[in-house]
């Protein structure tokens, strides 16, 4: 299946020419190994893949024993993997061979060796990993500065359409977004595909199975296997934090069901405090399992400068996984339940799913997640909650921040958004409402169908 990150890999190869290694971080089962090996096969004369999750421990020892003798290191790797590598002749040419360190978190010393391998200059290097930055996997090693890191997300909406061989739809959506024109007769078709994307999710195994079978039960089973893998990772790698991290993970659907989706720690225990649960949230975020959204106290340039980490919303990184996590009473969702979700006939708070998918798409588009809230007890005009704040890519003194409200139903009010615009109008760029209806511009607010979120 085609992934957009392939273009980033190609840019790295052509422009960096071995001056830095590439580290691809992402959640388990997000497709890192597949895309890197596909890239290696298509863009290099030869490649060598070392999967540190299953390789013989003696191979790991190569990086401890022969780092001062790289000729021997490369010869041993070629002999063990029965691959012939071709070194580059000069620094100015693109490499002919690539060495892949897959699941590099299992061999910290191999990651530490990147500094010397890049300086040697014979080959290109790509590292992939999950849980790469957790304390256990960086302990006692010097992290290489010769490493360029990029993040890989679940498949986005356009990649999902590509998998369904619907490559012509997203360019039409982009054109209508740019021109602020309604989709008209194409809106229903786009929303149908969007709802499929929301309930299947963007994990490649689930998408591939859906494309091949359209069997929702089989898709759900794959997603539950991924959730079980995440739970196992929590138990194995969240040192001293296993119980609290698992409690946060399992509580996510319940928190997102609420009207105000801020994570209320009291649900985990009457005495629960953020100072005790900050690390579990950050662990889940580092593992790329969740997307944390922090409160910003003012909609001004540099949202991070006004970040308040004691108040946050916690979204699952993939909405398809959220559905399987939320509806697990019988261990497996039925096809009937999926179809009700597909056609919007299930009596649940769909705001949970809608806001989660928007958070997922905003993160995949490069945004960090912030929201605004004020629970003033003294002044009703100050009480408001804005789902997301996003900043324009080019900073200006004013008109830089766009408030984004997410609406799941056909009938809704915009009380908070109107209060927000009134209070901060000199600092705001375009206000957006994301909803299930077609594009409309009204009272200087742009109402967008949910499937246009990636263009914000």
């Amino acid at each position: 299946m085609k992934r957009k990150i392939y273009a980033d890999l190609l840019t790295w190869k052509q422009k960096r020419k071995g001056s830095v290694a590439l580290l691809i971080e992402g959640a388990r089962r997000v497709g890192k190994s597949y895309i890197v090996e596909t890239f290696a096969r298509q863009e290099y004369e030869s490649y060598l893949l070392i999967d540190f999750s299953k390789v013989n421990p003696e191979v790991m020892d190569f990086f401890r024993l022969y780092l001062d003798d790289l000729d021997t290191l490369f010869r041993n790797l070629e002999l063990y993997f029965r691959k012939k590598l071709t070194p580059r002749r000069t620094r100015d040419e693109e490499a002919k061979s690539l060495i892949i360190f897959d699941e590099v978190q299992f061999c910290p010393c191999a990651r530490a060796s990147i500094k010397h391998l890049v300086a040697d200059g014979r080959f290109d290097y790509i590292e992939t990993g999950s849980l790469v930055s957790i304390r256990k996997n960086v302990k006692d090693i010097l992290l290489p500065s010769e490493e360029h890191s990029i993040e890989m997300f679940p498949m986005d909406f356009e990649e999902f359409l590509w998998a369904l061989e619907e490559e012509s739809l997203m360019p039409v959506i982009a054109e209508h977004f740019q021109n602020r024109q309604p989709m008209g007769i194409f809106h229903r078709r786009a929303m149908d595909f969007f709802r499929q994307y929301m309930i299947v999710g963007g994990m490649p195994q689930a998408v591939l199975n859906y494309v091949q079978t359209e069997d929702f039960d089989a898709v759900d089973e794959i997603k539950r296997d991924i959730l079980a893998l995440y739970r196992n990772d929590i138990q194995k790698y969240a040192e001293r934090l296993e119980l609290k991290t698992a409690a946060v993970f399992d509580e996510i659907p319940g928190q997102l069901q609420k009207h105000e989706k801020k994570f209320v720690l009291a649900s985990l225990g009457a005495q629960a405090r953020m100072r005790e649960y900050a690390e579990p949230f950050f662990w889940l975020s580092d593992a790329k399992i969740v997307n944390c959204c922090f409160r910003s106290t003012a909609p001004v340039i540099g949202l991070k400068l006004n970040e308040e980490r004691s108040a946050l919303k916690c979204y699952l990184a993939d909405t398809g996984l959220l559905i399987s996590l939320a509806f697990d009473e019988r261990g497996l969702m039925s096809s009937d339940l999926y179809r009700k979700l597909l056609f919007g006939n299930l009596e649940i708070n769909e705001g949970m799913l809608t806001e989660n998918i928007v958070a997922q798409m905003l993160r995949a588009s490069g945004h960090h997640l912030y929201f605004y809230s004020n629970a003033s007890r003294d002044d009703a005009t100050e009480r408001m909650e804005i789902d997301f704040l996003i900043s324009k890519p080019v900073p200006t003194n004013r008109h830089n921040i766009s408030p984004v409200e997410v609406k799941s139903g056909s009938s809704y009010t915009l009380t908070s958004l109107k209060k927000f615009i009134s209070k901060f109008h000199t600092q705001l760029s375009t206000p957006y409402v994301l909803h299930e209806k077609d594009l409309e511009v009204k009272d200087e607010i742009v109402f967008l169908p949910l499937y246009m979120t990636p263009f914000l």
Side-chain angles (χ1 to χ4, degrees):
M1 290 183 290
K2 190 162 64 169
R3 302 296 302 271
K4 292 179 181 177
I5 199 172
Y6 193 100
D8 296 328
L9 303 184
L10 200 56
T11 298
W12 163 80
K13 178 179 187 288
Q14 294 170 347
K15 291 189 175 181
R16 294 301 186 101
K17 294 182 178 177
S19 61
V20 293
L22 185 66
L23 171 64
I24 302 176
E25 294 187 75
R28 299 282 294 274
R29 302 289 179 87
V30 84
K32 302 182 298 296
S33 302
Y34 170 81
I35 197 65
V36 170
E37 189 162 15
T38 300
F39 177 73
R41 193 179 299 115
Q42 295 179 356
E43 304 296 337
Y44 290 87
E45 292 180 5
S46 61
Y47 70 94
L48 190 153
L49 187 150
I50 309 172
D51 184 348
F52 288 112
S53 68
K54 62 182 182 182
V55 75
N56 190 311
E58 292 183 4
V59 174
M60 297 188 187
D61 286 337
F62 292 166
F63 295 92
R64 298 186 185 93
L65 299 174
Y66 303 115
L67 201 54
D68 60 347
D69 182 3
L70 294 183
D71 290 337
T72 300
L73 172 64
F74 294 136
R75 185 166 56 249
N76 286 352
L77 291 175
E78 288 178 319
L79 285 171
Y80 183 87
F81 291 100
R82 300 178 183 177
K83 290 287 186 78
K84 180 63 178 174
L85 300 175
T86 304
R88 61 160 52 88
R89 291 168 296 183
T90 67
R91 267 294 188 182
D92 294 330
E93 70 175 8
E94 290 185 15
K96 293 180 170 57
S97 296
L98 171 71
I99 297 180
I100 302 169
F101 291 172
D102 198 20
E103 303 293 357
V104 71
Q105 72 273 10
F106 290 111
C107 188
C109 67
R111 187 180 179 196
S113 73
I114 284 294
K115 175 181 178 66
H116 306 285
L117 298 176
V118 167
D120 174 72
R122 289 180 232 190
F123 312 111
D124 280 353
Y125 300 90
I126 295 181
E127 308 161 88
T128 77
S130 308
L131 309 171
V132 167
S133 59
I134 65 170
R135 187 182 298 112
K136 181 178 180 180
N137 291 329
V138 296
K139 185 179 179 181
D140 300 328
I141 71 167
L142 180 65
L143 296 181
S145 58
E146 299 77 7
E147 187 180 75
H148 175 62
S149 177
I150 60 175
E151 190 171 350
M152 189 171 183
F153 298 95
M155 296 174 72
D156 67 17
F157 182 45
E158 186 170 18
E159 291 170 331
F160 181 79
L161 291 174
W162 290 346
L164 294 176
E165 298 183 352
E166 289 285 343
E167 299 199 4
S168 61
L169 183 56
M170 206 63 177
V172 173
I173 295 173
E175 181 180 347
H176 283 255
F177 172 82
Q178 292 294 335
N179 297 328
R180 294 291 191 265
Q181 294 177 338
M183 290 285 288
I185 60 173
F186 300 110
H187 172 67
R188 176 61 65 86
R189 179 175 178 82
M191 276 303 301
D192 286 345
F193 280 119
F194 179 78
R195 290 194 72 85
Q196 290 178 55
Y197 171 61
M198 183 171 68
I199 66 176
V200 172
M203 303 307 283
Q205 282 179 288
V207 174
L208 180 61
N209 188 281
Y210 178 70
V211 170
Q212 292 174 340
T213 68
E214 296 188 4
D215 182 343
F216 285 123
D217 284 339
V219 170
D220 194 70
E221 190 168 0
I222 288 170
K223 291 191 292 180
R224 290 184 186 283
D225 287 344
I226 295 172
L227 290 170
L229 180 67
Y230 290 171
R231 285 193 175 95
N232 289 338
D233 284 344
I234 290 169
Q235 295 303 319
K236 189 172 182 180
Y237 298 111
E239 295 176 320
R240 303 175 291 101
L241 305 169
E242 302 93 335
L243 295 178
K244 290 179 180 177
T245 305
V248 170
F249 178 71
D250 288 329
E251 184 63 20
I252 291 172
Q255 296 289 322
L256 293 178
Q257 282 263 42
K258 299 180 303 181
H259 175 67
E260 288 192 1
K261 296 173 175 58
K262 292 193 295 291
F263 203 104
V264 178
L265 289 174
S267 63
L268 303 176
Q271 303 302 316
R273 298 291 183 270
M274 179 53 75
R275 63 178 177 270
E276 302 166 8
Y277 280 88
E279 282 195 80
F281 280 111
F282 296 149
W283 190 96
L284 289 167
S285 180
D286 281 347
K288 317 301 180 187
I289 292 172
V290 304
N291 292 319
C292 287
C293 180
F294 296 101
R295 178 161 62 190
S296 185
T297 57
V300 295
I301 296 171
L303 290 169
K304 187 174 180 63
L305 298 177
N306 297 289
E307 180 182 288
E308 190 179 82
R309 293 211 158 198
S310 61
L312 60 80
K313 296 190 284 187
C314 188
Y315 303 100
L316 213 60
D318 180 75
T319 308
L321 293 181
L322 174 63
I323 290 173
S324 295
L325 182 63
F327 300 98
D328 64 352
E329 290 85 355
R330 290 181 295 169
L332 192 70
M333 282 185 67
S334 69
S335 294
D336 288 341
L337 194 54
Y338 263 116
R339 289 191 179 91
K340 286 181 178 180
L341 279 172
L342 185 61
F343 295 110
N345 296 328
L346 195 65
E347 294 181 359
I348 63 165
N349 177 10
E350 281 206 25
M352 169 183 72
L353 307 180
T354 308
E355 196 167 316
N356 199 93
I357 193 71
V358 168
Q360 179 180 338
M361 292 190 290
L362 289 175
R363 280 294 293 124
S365 299
H367 292 286
H368 294 284
L369 302 181
Y370 296 97
F371 71 99
Y372 179 88
S373 70
N374 187 330
S376 174
R377 296 180 180 179
D378 303 319
D379 187 350
T381 63
E382 293 287 321
R383 285 198 294 271
M384 62 189 90
E385 175 107 13
I386 302 298
D387 295 326
F388 298 103
L389 300 177
I390 59 174
S391 58
K392 293 169 63 176
V394 180
T396 57
N397 290 332
R398 295 169 58 187
H399 305 299
N400 188 62
I401 305 299
S402 286
V404 179
E405 281 281 77
V406 181
K407 303 298 181 182
S408 58
S410 57
S411 178
Y412 53 81
T413 62
L414 297 175
T415 306
S416 283
L417 182 60
K418 290 176 179 178
K419 288 182 185 178
F420 190 80
I421 294 171
S422 176
K423 180 177 176 63
F424 297 110
H425 65 278
T426 60
Q427 298 157 236
L428 300 182
S429 183
T430 307
Y432 295 102
V433 174
L434 299 171
H435 63 176
E436 296 184 355
K437 301 176 185 178
D438 205 347
L439 188 150
E440 179 184 11
V441 181
K442 184 178 180 181
D443 298 330
E444 298 186 346
I445 299 173
V446 178
F447 295 78
L448 296 176
L450 288 159
Y451 51 78
M452 288 188 179
T453 304
F455 300 111
L456 294 180

